[in-house]
Amino acid sequence: MPNSSSISEFLLLALADTQQLQLLHFWLLLGIYLAALLGNGLISTAVACDHRLHTPMYFFLLNLALLDLGCIS
């Protein structure tokens, strides 16, 4: 007997119903995104510009920061 279940519609619910709560969520998530962007950008810039930080540990830290930039964006 084959599986005959199917989904015919998709329901997308809002995170918050009120305008004030939506604005609060927007600014909170924007702040978190910008903090992560700034932090990873600073790590990438520091490792790339300082020649003393061209050791394997900082190479992997740079790769982790770039991966995090890609994932958060």
Side-chain angles (χ1 to χ4, degrees):
M1 176 192 261
N3 188 2
S4 62
S5 62
S6 65
I7 298 174
S8 61
E9 60 187 52
F10 181 74
L11 182 62
L12 184 63
L13 299 175
L15 189 61
D17 291 333
T18 63
Q19 182 74 22
Q20 291 85 9
L21 222 54
Q22 288 176 353
L23 286 173
L24 175 70
H25 287 148
F26 170 75
W27 289 113
L28 181 68
L29 293 175
L30 181 67
I32 292 170
Y33 173 73
L34 290 177
L37 201 67
L38 180 68
N40 287 314
L42 287 174
I43 289 172
S44 301
T45 303
V47 172
C49 291
D50 193 356
H51 294 289
R52 293 175 293 168
L53 301 179
H54 289 179
T55 59
M57 180 179 73
Y58 292 106
F59 172 74
F60 289 118
L61 181 65
L62 175 65
N63 284 332
L64 183 63
L66 292 175
L67 181 69
D68 191 33
L69 276 173
C71 288
I72 200 162
S73 292

